[in-house]
Amino acid sequence: MQYTHNYNPTISDDEIFVNILEEKEKIGYYNLVFQDTQHYKEYAKGVKQKNIVVIGIGGSTLGTYAIYKFLKHSKELEKKLFFLETTDPIDIHSKIENIDLDDTLFIVISKSGTTVETIAIFKYLHSLVTIDKHNCVIVTESDSKLNAYAKIHDMQTFEIPKNVGGRFSVFSAVGLLPLAIVGIDIDDLLKGAKSIHDGFFYDKEGTRERLLKKARFFTEYKNRFNINVVFSYSSRLEGFNKWYIQLWGESLGKVDINNTRQGLTPIGIIGPIDQHSFLQLIVEGRRDKTVTVVKVENFDNDLKIPPVELEGLEELNYLNGKKFSDLINMQADATIEAINNLNDIPCDVISIDGVCESAIASLMYEYELLTSLCAKFMYIDAYNQPGVEGGKIILKEKLKIKG
């Protein structure tokens, strides 16, 4: 008798947690919260250039950009951080013309060391300015071709561990090095991430219970609620939204152990801007979406609406004197209440403490854990990306033929 099936029995929370503990022994991102940051900080002290240009794409830039975007207007940073990550010639030209390349440190980031987009941009920059060990540092795997290039030219290198995937690498040299150089407190970043790590691994009734409940809902109701909307109520979280979309899409869009196609579709929107567009689809559109609202409790900004009299608009004078930070959080609360009043849209709220390193890091580490948990419930590998690799292979072949 032969028997095959595609029934995946519901796995218990305890079993999932054991699986995560086992995975923690070989998947490196979990333990990045424990690393020594001294070598990053020592290198950062010696950087004299005012402009820091990160050359990379995807996991090599999105996490760093998310943190920098969130913090840069609340910190007195002496250096500016730029990202060259697309082969769009207009984008490349427009960014470079606003950078003093003679006062720039170039950070080339590629886990594989052969990323087409990254090397193409690096080649172009070589045609514009002399790049050597005095103004360039390499972040890559220890045995990559890019690392070999760095050794030939006596360039400083920082290693991306082989067991840390690109989209999970923000708390490695990929993110910590450029962020330390521009003056962001990377110890506080790791402190925030570690708070979520410890809450998950050591507090069964707190963070672990909350994340397991959310991951289980997402996966057990994936056929009904296949779209997961992150509604971030701060423009500073625009970078986080982009990072989340890569993390969620590339990690969870997979074929499972029974050869069944899985996936949850990430959407990242910004409030209150998208209250005037996407919220209509959430409220009156198909019931195929979950909503996570992300609020910032303390914007550390006292900007107020002045008591300006506008003839004909006197009925809106109730706005006078209100802080913009209070207004945006009232808008978030109104959206949350409107959604909850409908009783048929799954919705949760994440409130982060303020605009600081630990706040954004805790949010990002939480989403890394949530991604890993969803993958376990879905019986897929969160850490590979065969769908992306196919396109890379085709591209390289086309380039060789046309060359």
Side-chain angles (χ1 to χ4, degrees), residues 11 120 195 239 243 376 393:
I11 190 169
S195 69
W243 173 83
K376 289 298 180 187
I393 293 169

Side-chain angles (χ1 to χ4, degrees), residues 357-370:
E357 285 91 341
S358 60
I360 186 64
S362 63
L363 178 65
M364 294 174 76
Y365 194 84
E366 172 156 329
Y367 262 87
E368 289 180 333
L369 283 176
L370 183 63

Side-chain angles (χ1 to χ4, degrees), residues 209-226:
E209 182 179 54
R210 172 168 55 81
L211 288 178
L212 280 166
K213 181 179 181 179
K214 187 170 180 176
R216 181 180 291 280
F217 183 91
F218 279 170
T219 53
E220 290 187 352
Y221 289 88
K222 64 183 182 292
N223 292 324
R224 179 177 178 186
F225 300 107
N226 185 249

Side-chain angles (χ1 to χ4, degrees), residues 119-258:
I119 302 304
I121 296 169
F122 192 38
K123 282 175 173 284
Y124 178 64
L125 289 169
H126 267 280
S127 72
L128 303 178
V129 65
T130 299
I131 298 179
D132 55 27
K133 65 180 181 180
H134 301 294
N135 65 348
C136 186
V137 59
I138 304 295
V139 181
T140 187
E141 288 187 345
S142 60
D143 59 354
S144 75
K145 292 182 179 179
L146 186 57
N147 193 67
Y149 167 87
K151 288 181 178 179
I152 291 170
H153 295 277
D154 195 28
M155 290 178 175
Q156 173 73 50
T157 62
F158 289 86
E159 182 180 355
I160 305 174
K162 284 189 174 294
N163 64 354
V164 176
R167 58 191 175 274
F168 290 87
S169 67
V170 63
F171 299 119
S172 72
V174 168
L176 297 187
L177 178 64
L179 292 170
I181 291 171
V182 299
I184 287 171
D185 191 331
I186 60 174
D187 289 327
D188 272 0
L189 283 175
L190 292 187
K191 182 179 178 181
K194 189 173 183 297
S195 69
I196 300 298
H197 169 280
D198 292 353
F200 180 79
F201 286 103
Y202 307 133
D203 182 8
K204 184 176 181 179
E205 306 302 323
T207 304
R208 186 192 313 174
E209 182 179 54
R210 172 168 55 81
L211 288 178
L212 280 166
K213 181 179 181 179
K214 187 170 180 176
R216 181 180 291 280
F217 183 91
F218 279 170
T219 53
E220 290 187 352
Y221 289 88
K222 64 183 182 292
N223 292 324
R224 179 177 178 186
F225 300 107
N226 185 249
I227 300 170
N228 306 128
V229 179
V230 168
F231 206 162
S232 297
Y233 268 80
S234 172
S235 296
R236 294 171 180 235
L237 288 166
E238 175 252 347
F240 167 76
N241 284 5
K242 290 182 177 180
W243 173 83
Y244 151 71
I245 288 170
Q246 187 208 13
L247 179 72
W248 206 247
E250 200 169 10
S251 299
L252 301 181
K254 302 288 173 64
V255 176
D256 70 12
I257 58 173
N258 296 312

Side-chain angles (χ1 to χ4, degrees), residues 260-285:
T260 301
R261 297 185 185 279
Q262 302 289 347
L264 294 166
T265 300
I267 300 289
I269 58 178
I270 295 292
I273 298 167
D274 291 310
Q275 282 181 207
H276 300 271
S277 55
F278 202 90
L279 183 59
Q280 174 65 34
L281 182 62
I282 292 172
V283 170
E284 292 198 340

Side-chain angles (χ1 to χ4, degrees), residues 24 30-37 190 194 197-198 202:
K24 196 172 185 281
Y30 290 103
N31 298 308
L32 291 174
V33 297
F34 298 110
Q35 70 189 292
D36 183 359
T37 61
L190 292 187
K194 189 173 183 297
H197 169 280
D198 292 353
Y202 307 133

